[in-house]
Amino acid sequence: MIKKIAILTSGGDAPGMNSAVKSVVNASLEKGLKPYVVYEGFLGLTNGNFKEVEKKDVKFFSTLGGTSIYSARYPEFKEEKTRKKAIAKMQEQGIDALVAIGGDGSYMGAAKLTKMGIKTIGLPGTIDNDIASTDYTIGFHTALNTIVSALDKTRDTSESHMRANVVEVMGRNCGDLAIHAAIATGAEVLSVPERKLTEKEISTKVKQAREEGNRSIIIIVTENMYDIDSLAKKIESFSKVETRALSLRHIQRGGSPVAEDRTLATIMGAFAVERLMAGENGVAVNIKDNKLSTKDILEVVKMKRQSNDELLRHYDLSK
Ligand code: F6P
């Protein structure tokens, strides 16, 4: 029987993580468990940076951006000796279960703890939407809205000055943020890991877009694919369209979460506690076709993402 449950947020922060924390805390209290927050993810777990919390401590968490229990990138957790230290700290407090909110790296950490005898469950928290087992991750919708709002503003100035603008968005190796944003804003050019354009192809598309009479031309690219300043220069020299470059970087991760993320995080958090109470362990929570489910966390990490072909087809049609 689980008596004490810890919750941590790890990896890149994502708007909505706070709603998940609140939901896990409230669901735990409702079931008679003692909830503990862990500060700074797996780093805090290793150092015993825990605090028992009550309902009132998390009452207004849902409106807050970032993660109020903080996060950390902590590669040292890959080492067994580090994990043993974390387990000892958990045992000192009598904590028998852990909810880990994060992306792939956090899932790996949780899976390794499961193998060492700790009951764990993962919640998908990342703006990238790159966890294959779930339709949406916590944070994706807020980041998408931030990107769309930035693109609308970029469009205003681009149209005024008759320019092209390269806008780089996050996603790591996943084009979801870029593709959804391109559909939502009518970007003229899109290059994502799933359908990467060469610099020459991008320049040619910009030239064509200008010849077709576009004053402003927005080019959305996923991060880690180009040096965007040099890309802008190449576009300009080939197409003769004045071009500027902008990377949205970490503003995409901040801000008060939109309703979709708050709701998703809340239902997933409560579901995680229920599944732990029902005896599940070493699994991650997913939402597919509006239904919550769980899947073995290691299988989730190994899963290949569904192709984005259909979404890209919609982008092509929407232009
Ligand atoms: O995984 C979330 C994410 O924001 C990615 O989109 C990005 O590549 C990475 O984190 C950036 O990480 P950091 O904040 O450590 O630079």
Side-chain angles (χ1 to χ4, degrees):
M1 248 306 260
I2 298 170
K3 292 200 177 73
K4 294 185 179 179
I5 188 166
I7 174 157
L8 61 77
T9 52
S10 151
D13 59 347
M17 280 179 161
N18 283 325
S19 298
V21 172
K22 174 179 173 178
S23 178
V24 170
V25 167
N26 287 343
S28 302
L29 288 167
E30 206 234 347
K31 295 196 182 315
L33 308 178
K34 285 192 175 171
Y36 285 72
V37 292
V38 181
Y39 293 103
E40 296 184 332
F42 289 105
L43 169 67
L45 196 72
T46 307
N47 295 330
N49 198 357
F50 314 134
K51 184 182 166 223
E52 187 182 346
V53 284
E54 300 169 35
K55 220 175 161 69
K56 67 172 173 33
D57 296 320
V58 292
K59 185 162 170 38
F60 299 112
F61 260 37
S62 281
T63 57
L64 306 174
T67 162
S68 300
I69 60 171
Y70 315 131
S71 189
R73 301 225 184 256
Y74 188 52
E76 292 84 344
F77 207 72
K78 289 188 186 133
E79 293 162 26
E80 192 174 7
K81 67 172 194 301
T82 310
R83 295 196 299 276
K84 279 189 173 156
K85 200 173 153 201
I87 291 174
K89 293 286 180 193
M90 289 176 81
Q91 284 166 347
E92 264 173 36
Q93 294 283 339
I95 294 171
D96 22 44
L98 175 72
V99 181
I101 313 173
D104 270 5
S106 319
Y107 277 14
M108 277 311 293
K112 289 196 165 134
L113 285 178
T114 306
K115 283 209 167 135
M116 294 167 81
I118 301 290
K119 295 187 179 71
T120 64
I121 192 159
L123 291 182
T126 165
I127 65 164
D128 298 335
N129 211 36
D130 60 349
I131 297 182
S133 54
T134 187
D135 287 343
Y136 294 110
T137 54
I138 297 162
F140 171 71
H141 282 103
T142 307
L144 179 59
N145 278 292
T146 301
I147 294 168
V148 165
S149 148
L151 285 167
D152 289 347
K153 291 181 174 110
T154 306
R155 175 72 78 184
D156 292 343
T157 170
S158 193
E159 188 72 13
S160 306
H161 285 267
M162 208 175 167
R163 281 178 179 159
N165 288 76
V166 178
V167 181
E168 182 184 68
V169 305
M170 281 187 171
R172 214 179 278 270
N173 302 308
C174 173
D176 280 26
L177 283 170
I179 305 172
H180 281 83
I183 293 173
T185 59
E188 283 74 14
V189 187
L190 170 69
S191 183
V192 289
E194 297 86 337
R195 194 173 76 181
K196 182 175 176 181
L197 302 178
T198 63
E199 295 187 332
K200 184 73 188 289
E201 284 167 333
I202 294 177
S203 305
T204 306
K205 281 181 187 285
V206 170
K207 192 161 184 271
Q208 275 166 2
R210 176 53 55 83
E211 282 162 7
E212 283 162 14
N214 293 282
R215 274 186 70 84
S216 57
I217 299 158
I218 302 290
I219 305 126
I220 304 181
V221 302
T222 302
E223 63 180 349
N224 305 322
M225 291 169 61
Y226 312 95
D227 170 338
I228 57 165
D229 291 315
S230 130
L231 174 62
K233 285 199 185 100
K234 285 183 189 149
I235 294 171
E236 189 165 301
S237 119
F238 180 86
S239 66
K240 310 293 173 236
V241 178
E242 194 182 9
T243 307
R244 297 284 190 267
L246 163 74
S247 179
L248 297 182
R249 299 195 54 83
H250 290 84
I251 64 159
Q252 295 162 94
R253 293 225 300 250
S256 178
V258 297
E260 286 94 332
D261 283 324
R262 297 182 198 191
T263 308
L264 180 66
T266 303
I267 62 172
M268 282 185 159
F271 187 69
V273 176
E274 272 169 30
R275 296 328 300 156
L276 272 174
M277 296 285 285
E280 287 194 43
N281 179 14
V283 294
V285 173
N286 313 299
I287 190 150
K288 276 262 167 207
D289 301 327
N290 261 332
K291 268 187 78 76
L292 292 170
S293 61
T294 54
K295 195 173 182 69
D296 181 88
I297 211 160
L298 279 178
E299 271 181 44
V300 169
V301 174
K302 282 190 215 135
M303 253 175 105
K304 272 217 156 324
R305 289 199 76 251
Q306 261 185 313
S307 112
N308 263 334
D309 290 355
E310 184 60 11
L311 208 52
L312 283 164
R313 193 177 69 81
H314 281 294
Y315 162 68
D316 292 337
L317 290 173
S318 70
K319 275 201 295 167

